[in-house]
Amino acid sequence: MASSTLIAFQVNCSVQQSSSSPLSFHHLKSNLSTAFKVNCSVARSVEDLQQAPVRVDFPSAVKNLCVRALDAFVGSAFEFVDQPLLPSQRNFAPVSELGEAVNVDDIEGTIPDDFPAGVYIRNGPNPLFGGLKSTKSVFGRSSHTWIEGEGMLHAVYIDKDSDGRWNVHYNNRHVETETYKLEKQRNRPSFLPAIEGDSPAILSAYLLNSLRFGTVNKLISNTNVFEHGGKLYSIAENHMPQEIDIFTLETLGNWNVDRDWKRPFTSHPKRAPGTGELVIMGVDAVKPFMELGIISADGKKLLHKADLKLDRCSLCHEIGVTQRYNVIMDFPLTIDINRLVRGGPLIRYNKKEYARIGVMPRYGDGNSMQWFDVKTSCTFHILNCFEDGDEVVLWACRALESIIPGPDFGLDKFQWFSKRLKPIRSCEKNVSVATEKDEERSFFSRAYEWRLNMKTGEAKERNLTGTKYSMDFPVINSNFAGLKNRYGYTQVVDSSASSTSGMPKYGGLAKLYLDQPRTGISSKANLIEDTIMLDYHEFGENIFCTGAAFVPKENGFEEDDGWIITFVHNESTDTSQVYLIDCKKFSDEPVAKITLPCRVPYGFHGTFVSQTKHIDPQA
């Protein structure tokens, strides 16, 4: 999830370099060099600075004097306070950087011979200076939200040597955005929290951050990591992507798409089927509230940009694509500066407002959008979209309550989250017996289907899964993105553990058989409804995952020929591992468990980049 449009998760861990030969790691680096071209980017350009909402042009000496005066004011008027973590939240705490990749030789089971060599990499918040902060001042209080925190990449390099033996290395590193480097150089918290808190405190944070640093909030880059045009990028929705050296995890600079994209950038861009073009969108708190863009397959040109002409700033986290269309969700989780000025929250989910889904031709604009009114809900993550005759089908994880931004300021955060993370009533056979009011008061998330008829304008909706498990963070075989697919995979919420900690924890995985119905009982008057078949992979007590990704088998024939790879943490032993789970034998034990040399905090989205993936070496 998240940012300053979507905002952000997460002691010391020191590990010495293994004495074993590092040749295998360098072998992997050599193989991947055909897939990733490293281009060191220059520091922030003038055009980057012009994106700041407030820009003051003074001679440098006067500007430095003003900044020092503002720093003195902030230092005297604002007090930074640590946000404490409960014992049950300890794996959300940050860790230290390793500095270099270390060898990993503790492997239970066997990495399959046909597993593709490559890199599994996951993003997630890792706050500087010990954790998230709150502030107290004459303007009131403000706090970082639970999903804020500077991004850190965790990478596992899996490679075969010349003798066919597997070698594994692990590394982690912060994403060094401009604001990360600024605070790191200052060696103290400097940015005032600008999302959650008393309205005067948030407005003063906006102004003071802008005057001091040229941006209203930190550029956290903590949500996702993706590849395009032979390069790897880290991303969160409040800024443009940062290019990453896949070998060292060094941040190489901002990617502003040939200087043509001048706004935030979605954490979930989608590759258009057939063309390889990257479809993106960006949400901003001022008009135009949402713009769509299309980037060339080589990543060098912005081919198309369109204002979608929304009437509000919907906090839309993900975009969908089919062979011909782009799919946009305009749901009532909104950002509203005018509401903040009137004393309300900056971000709010309002169940009484409208919800709609828009479908537009790939190179269309706001005028070519066909809108479909749908039931109000909150959806962050899309499983897939595709065309089925006259219908555009959207599969996603849908809830009736929003976990972002959290409670109104001043309410007990733990109690608010804990209550909504509790299990809802269900029966033993994964049949839905919960009432809609049960779900409206919780973060319970189901796989859900919308069928949008492009000829009649009709929208049909249905639940795909029951109420035994809440699920989110869906992934599929990426070769089927935008096309009709049969399988999907989600992380499954451990509702009891999540409620106890007041933070979401994922105690297993689910495999969704999207074309295989099973009959269940609806919550409304016990009517029959169709849900789909599922398999579950449960980890066991006090074991939770993040960043699950699908790894396709080399030369695989079927859609589910492959593995789910995920970071897993055992809270009883404080041990972090990587699991490889065979998707053909989904409920079986993992084929391999790779024990890592230090703790990996819970985070957000991950991906796997195969070294044999064809990428233009001239990109």
Side-chain angles (χ1 to χ4, degrees), residues 25 40 46 50 57 135 153 168-169 181 185 187 205 212 237 259 289 302 335 347 368 396 438 496 540 546 554:
F25 176 63
C40 292
V46 173
Q50 287 175 343
D57 293 319
T135 62
L153 302 175
V168 180
H169 288 78
K181 289 184 284 189
Q185 183 179 25
N187 198 31
R212 295 161 73 211
E237 270 109 342
R259 303 179 186 272
F289 293 126
L302 184 68
I335 301 169
I347 301 174
S368 62
D438 291 329
S496 296
T546 55
E554 291 180 344

Side-chain angles (χ1 to χ4, degrees), residues 243-460:
E243 184 184 348
I244 303 295
D245 183 330
I246 196 171
F247 314 123
T248 64
L249 303 185
E250 176 187 1
T251 304
L252 303 178
N254 295 329
W255 182 37
N256 61 359
V257 198
D258 197 31
R259 303 179 186 272
D260 285 332
W261 188 258
K262 306 182 190 309
R263 61 170 35 233
F265 193 110
T266 178
S267 289
H268 293 279
K270 293 295 172 59
R271 192 165 286 110
T275 68
E277 295 166 344
L278 196 70
V279 183
I280 65 173
M281 55 113 179
V283 173
D284 211 340
V286 295
K287 285 187 174 182
F289 293 126
M290 186 184 296
E291 287 187 334
L292 178 138
I294 300 176
I295 299 172
S296 60
D298 62 9
K300 296 179 179 179
K301 293 291 182 182
L302 184 68
L303 304 175
H304 179 65
K305 182 169 67 174
D307 176 3
L308 299 187
K309 299 185 178 180
L310 267 62
D311 295 326
R312 63 186 179 185
C313 179
S314 293
L315 208 167
C316 183
H317 184 54
E318 188 157 3
I319 189 171
V321 295
T322 70
Q323 287 182 296
R324 294 181 295 165
Y325 299 113
N326 309 314
V327 182
I328 302 294
M329 298 181 294
D330 180 13
F331 289 2
L333 176 63
T334 59
I335 301 169
D336 190 336
I337 294 177
N338 290 328
R339 183 172 59 214
L340 177 68
V341 171
R342 295 193 300 267
L346 176 65
I347 301 174
R348 182 185 180 192
Y349 176 60
N350 188 346
K351 300 175 185 177
K352 296 180 179 180
E353 290 189 6
Y354 64 88
R356 59 182 184 166
I357 299 172
V359 181
M360 62 182 285
R362 177 77 72 240
Y363 276 78
D365 57 23
N367 294 324
S368 62
M369 186 83 73
Q370 183 172 347
W371 288 107
F372 297 83
D373 293 329
V374 296
K375 296 177 183 176
T376 298
S377 64
C378 186
T379 299
F380 290 112
H381 296 122
I382 292 174
L383 183 73
N384 199 18
C385 300
F386 60 92
E387 297 165 40
D388 186 11
D390 294 333
E391 294 179 322
V392 169
V393 180
L394 166 60
W395 287 333
C397 292
R398 171 188 183 267
L400 299 181
E401 176 64 271
S402 176
I403 198 168
I404 293 173
D408 291 339
F409 195 70
L411 296 180
D412 187 297
K413 279 189 179 184
F414 174 81
Q415 292 294 335
W416 193 87
F417 280 109
S418 177
K419 182 178 179 181
R420 286 159 177 78
L421 287 165
K422 286 181 179 178
I424 65 173
R425 295 186 299 117
S426 65
C427 78
E428 296 180 357
K429 296 183 179 179
N430 194 24
V431 176
S432 173
V433 297
T435 67
E436 195 163 285
K437 284 191 176 181
D438 291 329
E439 292 189 54
E440 284 179 353
R441 293 190 291 264
S442 79
F443 301 138
F444 188 91
S445 179
R446 308 181 191 222
Y448 199 79
E449 176 184 270
W450 292 267
R451 285 186 167 269
L452 312 171
N453 193 303
M454 299 296 291
K455 282 193 173 180
T456 67
E458 181 183 14
K460 296 180 181 178

Side-chain angles (χ1 to χ4, degrees), residues 2 6 27 44 110 115-116 122 151-152 193 297 321 329 348 406 500 502 518 551 586:
L6 267 188
H27 172 65
R44 170 185 277 186
T110 303
F115 189 86
R122 196 218 70 197
M152 175 177 274
V321 295
M329 298 181 294
R348 182 185 180 192
T500 298
R518 89 184 274 258
V551 183
F586 196 73

Side-chain angles (χ1 to χ4, degrees), residues 90-91 106 542-544 567-579 594-600 602:
R90 62 184 181 275
N91 198 46
D106 187 349
N542 293 327
I543 303 175
F544 310 102
F567 282 103
V568 169
H569 185 74
N570 187 324
E571 294 191 353
S572 298
T573 61
D574 201 27
T575 302
S576 294
Q577 297 178 301
V578 170
Y579 281 10
I594 303 168
T595 300
L596 301 172
C598 65
R599 182 172 67 84
V600 177
Y602 301 131

